[in-house]
Amino acid sequence: MSSPSSEIFRRGVQIQKRTLIAWSAALVLLALSVVGAWPSMEKSGALEDFASGVSPEMAAAFGIDQISSASGYLKGNLYAVLLPLLLGLMAVTATAALTGGDEEAGRLELLLALPVARRTVFLVRFLCVAFGLAVTSALVWLSVYGSVVSLDMDVSGGGVTAVTLTVGLLAVLHAGIAYAVVGFGLGRGPALGAAAGVLVVGYLLHAIAPMSDTLEPLSNVSPWEWALGSDPLVNGVPWGGVALLVGLAAVVVAVGTYAVDRRDVKNA
């Protein structure tokens, strides 16, 4: 007989199954289309022309400063902005829906009647989101790595693994922020707004702040900088950045779990 926690996890995964399939399919198709366009783009020389028309500062901000190389192409068209942003939005919306959304709709009442602590119900729901992010990240990694190998691109498998790991952890962190907001009882809407806002501001600090000598130090507080600042696609896993992402995610999840155990749960 399964435990209440495992049943909550199973049910949480089942609830987000359709959404998870849709997000995974969309991100895999995005990855395949980006990598698949490389041979024609390389032969046409269009990438060099494109990069030459952008200032060095703007090129660095959007990750296209080395777009004519295979690794620079992947970075600029997939890993610098699109994949982290989309995976982060996936994480935020799923977390807000499974926690704050279900609480506001009264769908958590049956689960809370089980012989399991309230904090466990919410924490397991967060783990369902983390599981979904891991599955999606693994599928994207498999798609990119398989395409890179089949097209004989000058990109290391270790680099693809490293950048997929950091982008996935970046998404988990923002899921944790949404979870913490729900933990304090602010609901689905504020959780979406706060976590998405942190996601966007973090990108701006990572991309735009380095353009100014005055603002440049602010880029160091951006989770995007921890995940992508050292160019993991080329240089491998940034262990310091990984430690910061995991550590901060653990802190915000712990704070949210502590808060939810000390407030009243909303009814529909």
Side-chain angles (χ1 to χ4, degrees):
M1 184 175 180
S2 62
S3 67
S5 295
S6 63
E7 180 61 23
I8 293 170
F9 182 84
R10 185 195 65 79
R11 179 58 178 162
V13 172
Q14 185 178 21
I15 289 172
Q16 65 171 348
K17 181 173 67 173
R18 290 184 179 178
T19 304
L20 178 60
I21 291 173
W23 272 104
S24 296
L27 293 180
V28 165
L29 287 174
L30 171 65
L32 290 175
S33 64
V34 167
V35 182
W38 165 251
S40 60
M41 298 294 286
E42 182 187 26
K43 292 178 182 178
S44 68
L47 294 173
E48 294 181 3
D49 296 337
F50 176 75
S52 65
V54 182
S55 68
E57 293 79 11
M58 289 299 296
F62 291 101
I64 59 173
D65 47 322
Q66 298 176 344
I67 198 168
S68 59
S69 67
S71 59
Y73 171 81
L74 280 182
K75 175 185 174 184
N77 287 284
L78 188 63
Y79 291 112
V81 183
L82 270 179
L83 185 61
L85 183 62
L86 293 174
L87 202 60
L89 290 175
M90 171 189 169
V92 168
T93 54
T95 303
L98 276 181
T99 55
D102 277 5
E103 180 182 0
E104 291 171 353
R107 290 189 291 268
L108 286 182
E109 292 181 4
L110 181 60
L111 294 179
L112 294 173
L114 296 172
V116 61
R118 179 194 305 170
R119 61 181 176 274
T120 302
V121 173
F122 278 83
L123 184 58
V124 171
R125 280 296 178 91
F126 174 78
L127 293 177
C128 291
V129 175
F131 172 77
L133 289 172
V135 170
T136 302
S137 297
L139 291 173
V140 172
W141 171 85
L142 184 62
S143 302
V144 174
Y145 181 72
S147 300
V148 163
V149 171
S150 65
L151 295 174
D152 196 26
M153 294 175 67
D154 186 19
V155 178
S156 72
V160 175
T161 302
V163 73
T164 304
L165 172 65
T166 58
V167 168
L169 290 176
L170 182 66
V172 170
L173 170 58
H174 288 88
I177 293 171
Y179 174 83
V181 174
V182 170
F184 282 94
L186 298 180
R188 179 181 182 180
L192 281 170
V198 172
L199 181 68
V200 172
V201 171
Y203 169 70
L204 293 176
L205 290 176
H206 163 68
I208 307 301
M211 295 184 184
S212 167
D213 292 338
T214 304
L215 298 177
E216 185 174 9
L218 293 177
S219 66
N220 295 322
V221 304
S222 168
W224 286 68
E225 181 70 18
W226 306 343
L228 301 170
S230 66
D231 197 358
L233 183 59
V234 174
N235 300 313
V237 179
W239 293 111
V242 167
L244 288 170
L245 291 169
V246 173
L248 185 56
V251 169
V252 294
V253 170
V255 169
T257 303
Y258 177 86
V260 79
D261 215 26
R262 286 159 177 78
R263 68 170 175 85
D264 293 331
V265 174
K266 299 175 182 178
N267 296 318

